[in-house]
Amino acid sequence: MKLTLLFLSTLLPLSLTAKDWKVSSPNKQITVTVTAENSLSWQINHGETAVITPSEIALNLGKDGVLGSKPKVSKAITNTFSETIPTPFYKKAAVESCYNQLLLKCSGGYDVEFRVFDDGAAYRFITCKKGEIEVKDEVAEFNFPADHKA
């Protein structure tokens, strides 16, 4: 009994430290799950099928720190967007852009935005740091559930 309590007491803090957020495409076929733990990671599912398994993302700004390392999310905002973008040099005069967005506001002066479209997903880091910012390195993992052929 003591061993079980000890084991459970060590797992409980681990389960309380991670936080997950989900956002789906407008047609509900693609789902992005974002996890903030020691690092920031995202995963993508198409229906019940895992397309990208948990994959770490971060942006190393050198002296300005690493965005996505030990993230502290203060607020999560979801929105839906639909816009028409004029395309003067494309085969169409305009392109429709419809997506659902998850914006994670993080302490440290940055946000991470995830956009989920009916045919894909994307993320970007946004910072309000003043002056020039030097990007030293980027962590952009793409972990697949199996060894697929391309």
Side-chain angles (χ1 to χ4, degrees), residues 16-134:
L16 294 177
T17 58
K19 178 67 177 161
D20 293 340
W21 293 270
K22 289 188 180 206
V23 61
S24 295
S25 59
N27 68 5
K28 307 289 187 233
Q29 292 296 308
I30 298 174
T31 303
V32 169
T33 304
V34 180
T35 302
E37 209 168 14
N38 287 330
S39 62
L40 196 59
S41 67
W42 71 325
Q43 64 186 53
I44 303 172
N45 279 37
H46 185 270
E48 296 296 316
T49 305
V51 178
I52 302 285
T53 57
S55 299
E56 186 177 338
I57 59 173
L59 202 58
N60 182 347
L61 303 181
K63 63 179 174 61
D64 289 321
V66 179
L67 309 183
S69 176
K70 297 184 178 155
K72 291 184 179 38
V73 177
S74 59
K75 190 173 188 180
I77 303 165
T78 55
N79 282 306
T80 298
F81 292 92
S82 180
E83 60 185 340
T84 302
I85 303 168
T87 56
F89 305 109
Y90 187 59
K91 60 185 173 183
K92 297 179 184 178
V95 173
E96 294 296 320
S97 179
C98 302
Y99 59 92
N100 291 331
Q101 174 186 286
L102 169 65
L103 181 69
L104 298 181
K105 298 195 146 302
C106 301
S107 61
Y110 72 97
D111 302 336
V112 187
E113 178 184 291
F114 296 87
R115 291 183 178 185
V116 188
F117 303 83
D118 286 343
D119 58 356
Y123 70 87
R124 69 177 176 162
F125 287 92
I126 303 165
T127 182
C128 58
K129 295 183 185 295
K130 303 292 183 198
E132 289 188 15
I133 298 171
E134 181 181 2

